[in-house]
Amino acid sequence: MVRTAGTEVQKLDAGKTVYVSVPEDGRYGSTAYPGSGQMVTQIIASEFSKRTPRVETGTRTESVEQSLASARKAGAYYLVAPVILHWEHRR
């Protein structure tokens, strides 16, 4: 299901391309976790690939406006823009 900016909920159109942007790397206190943003992107893309045949991913962190432009350039109908709110590295 896809929630739009309002309260409308619609089903994901499996025939449409999804673009997943790269969030800023996660942090915990003053410790940054390099590569965590790319890891989140790959996990989300992997899950969407189970529902739609074409998933494109960003290669670097971009603003929402830049991500939207990248998604359009990739021919994507959906933009997924994750944000890491809290990150704790677990081994």
Side-chain angles (χ1 to χ4, degrees), residues 11-18 48-55 77-78:
K11 237 181 171 177
L12 177 73
D13 183 339
K16 306 278 186 177
T17 300
V18 174
F48 271 103
S49 70
K50 295 174 184 176
R51 307 259 186 273
T52 184
R54 187 158 174 243
V55 178
Y77 185 81
Y78 298 106

Side-chain angles (χ1 to χ4, degrees), residues 3-58:
R3 183 171 300 278
T4 61
T7 58
E8 181 183 345
V9 176
Q10 59 186 348
K11 237 181 171 177
L12 177 73
D13 183 339
K16 306 278 186 177
T17 300
V18 174
Y19 181 90
V20 184
S21 64
V22 179
E24 290 186 28
D25 286 333
R27 302 183 70 78
Y28 184 73
S30 62
T31 304
Y33 293 94
S36 57
Q38 189 64 46
M39 183 186 328
V40 167
T41 297
Q42 293 305 317
I43 291 168
I44 293 171
S46 175
E47 290 303 311
F48 271 103
S49 70
K50 295 174 184 176
R51 307 259 186 273
T52 184
R54 187 158 174 243
V55 178
E56 298 290 329
T57 60

